[in-house]
Amino acid sequence: MNKLVVSLSPHAHGNDSVERNMYGVIIALLPALIVSFCYFGIGSVIVCLSSVLSCVFFEWAINKYILRRERNTILDGSAALTGLLLGMNLPSNLPVWIIIIGALFAIGVGKMTFGGLGQNIFNPALVGRCAMLVAFPAQMTTWPVPGHLLDYTDVETGATPLALMKQAIKSGDVGVLDQLPDAFSLLLGEHSMGGGAGTIGEICGLALLAGFAFMLWRRIITWHIPVSIIGTVFLFSAIMHVINPIYADPTTVILSGGLLLGAIFMATDYVTSPMTHRGQLVYGVCIGLLTIIIRNWGAYPEGMSFAILIMNAFTPLINNYMKPKRFGEVAK
C-alpha cells in the first residue's frame, strides 16, 4: 500500500527537484573546472576528485552507521556538489589527508550535524574550507603558479593579486598595484602566469560568468544575490579607490580572488540564503560590505568565505522580517 502524504495548500506542481538543481549547478561549474585542469593539471584533478569522493563517502557512512537511515542521500548530488565546491576553494597542491579532514568537517559538522540536506544553517563547503584555513593556515595560503601540469605538491608558488592588494594597503605604496594584471587577463585567468593563482575555482572569471548565465537560463538561481554582492563590492571599491589610490580599482577587485565563485555558487545556496527577493538583496549587500571590510582591514587577503558564513547566521532573521506574501492575502 502506498503511503498517502497530506500537506497544507496551496498545492503547486513543478519540474524542480533536488537532483535537477544539484546536478545543474555541477554542470554550471564544468567550464571553470575544465579551465582549472588546463592551468593546474594533475594537481587540480587530485584535489577535486579527493574532495568529491571524501564528501560522498562521509555522507554515506554517517547516514548508514550514525543516523541509521534506511534511505541514503548520496545520489541526490548534494554531497558531490559540496565536495566539488570545497575542492574548487582549495589550492591545487594541498595534500590529500588535509582534504579528507576538510571533507569530514564539511559533511559531518556543516551538514549532517544539523540533520542533513535542507536543515544546515551554514554552507557546508565553506565550513570545511574555513576549518582547514584555521587548522592549516600555511598549506591553505600557499598558492601554486600554473603551468606545472604534471606536478602536484612540488611546484613553484607566488603571490596572488589579493596578496599584492593587501601589501599595497599595509605599506601605503601604490606602486605595488602596478604588478597587478589588467582586467582582461584577470577575466581569462592569465593573471596567474608568473604569480600565484589562488584557489582552483577562481582562476577564470569568464568561465564562472558562463556558469552564472547557464544557471539563470535554467532558473536554478535568480540574479538577486550575485548582482547585489558584485554591485556592492564595485560601488564601495570605486569610492575607496577615488579617495585613496592604494585601494585597487573596482574591476580588479571583483575579478580577483574568490568573489565571483562565492557570489555565484556559494552565497546562492538554497538552504542558507533568504527566501524572498528583498531578503536576498539585503543579504547580498551585507556580504559585499563584509567582503570589502575583511579584505581591506582584516587579517586575511580574502574575505568572501567569512562574509558568507556570517550572513548565513543572519538568514533566519532576514526571513523573519522579510516574509513572502501569503497566498490569498488582500493587499493593503
Side-chain angles (χ1 to χ4, degrees):
M1 181 181 295
N2 293 329
K3 183 179 179 181
L4 178 64
V5 178
V6 180
S7 61
L8 298 175
S9 61
H11 303 285
H13 235 351
N15 295 322
D16 270 353
S17 66
V18 172
E19 291 82 359
R20 177 184 181 275
N21 289 332
M22 294 298 168
Y23 289 113
V25 178
I26 291 174
I27 292 171
L29 282 166
L30 288 180
L33 192 62
I34 292 170
V35 171
S36 75
F37 291 165
C38 295
Y39 278 110
F40 295 112
I42 191 68
S44 178
V45 176
I46 292 173
V47 170
C48 290
L49 189 60
S50 300
S51 181
V52 171
L53 292 177
S54 299
C55 285
V56 171
F57 169 76
F58 285 127
E59 176 143 334
W60 170 81
I62 292 171
N63 267 319
K64 184 173 179 64
Y65 295 109
I66 298 178
L67 300 180
R68 299 189 181 280
R69 291 174 175 169
E70 295 181 5
R71 177 180 177 271
N72 217 301
T73 56
I74 59 173
L75 296 181
D76 64 15
S78 61
L81 178 58
T82 296
L84 185 56
L85 286 171
L86 177 62
M88 295 184 76
N89 273 277
L90 303 176
S92 65
N93 63 341
L94 197 66
V96 172
W97 64 272
I98 297 181
I99 299 170
I100 294 173
I101 293 174
L104 178 58
F105 267 91
I107 297 296
V109 178
K111 183 179 180 182
M112 304 308 290
T113 297
F114 296 97
L117 180 65
Q119 301 178 66
N120 51 288
I121 299 174
F122 301 100
N123 185 294
L126 291 181
V127 170
R129 182 183 188 273
C130 289
M132 297 160 75
L133 190 60
V134 172
F136 310 103
Q139 295 92 332
M140 285 289 292
T141 54
T142 301
W143 309 112
V145 175
H148 304 271
L149 301 184
L150 300 179
D151 294 327
Y152 174 35
T153 56
D154 187 20
V155 294
E156 180 186 356
T157 59
T160 63
L162 285 181
L164 293 173
M165 294 179 198
K166 197 75 168 180
Q167 182 182 343
I169 295 170
K170 287 184 175 180
S171 65
D173 182 10
V174 72
V176 175
L177 298 179
D178 294 337
Q179 303 175 47
L180 290 173
D182 59 84
F184 188 71
S185 298
L186 287 168
L187 191 65
L188 297 180
E190 295 176 353
H191 65 286
S192 52
M193 294 306 179
T199 64
I200 291 171
E202 68 186 42
I203 190 167
C204 182
L206 188 61
L208 295 170
L209 291 173
F212 180 39
F214 173 80
M215 289 197 293
L216 288 178
W217 173 64
R218 286 283 299 271
R219 296 185 179 180
I220 297 173
I221 63 171
T222 63
W223 60 267
H224 300 81
I225 293 175
V227 171
S228 58
I229 292 173
I230 295 169
T232 301
V233 171
F234 185 91
L235 176 62
F236 282 90
S237 297
I239 293 172
M240 289 190 297
H241 181 67
V242 170
I243 295 173
N244 193 335
I246 65 167
Y247 299 104
D249 67 272
T251 305
T252 302
V253 172
I254 288 172
L255 295 175
S256 298
L259 194 139
L260 289 179
L261 179 64
I264 297 169
F265 294 98
M266 313 291 283
T268 52
D269 175 47
Y270 295 138
V271 182
T272 58
S273 60
M275 295 183 293
T276 65
H277 292 329
R278 282 192 307 150
Q280 289 169 1
L281 291 173
V282 172
Y283 175 79
V285 168
C286 291
I287 289 176
L289 284 172
L290 286 170
T291 301
I292 289 295
I293 291 170
I294 297 171
R295 279 188 175 188
N296 291 335
W297 299 289
Y300 292 100
E302 179 61 278
M304 194 68 195
S305 298
F306 295 107
I308 294 173
L309 286 176
I310 291 170
M311 289 311 301
N312 285 167
F314 283 92
T315 293
L317 189 63
I318 295 174
N319 284 333
N320 186 54
Y321 283 95
M322 296 184 175
K323 298 178 180 178
K325 180 183 175 182
R326 297 172 184 171
F327 285 91
E329 183 181 8
V330 178
K332 295 181 181 179

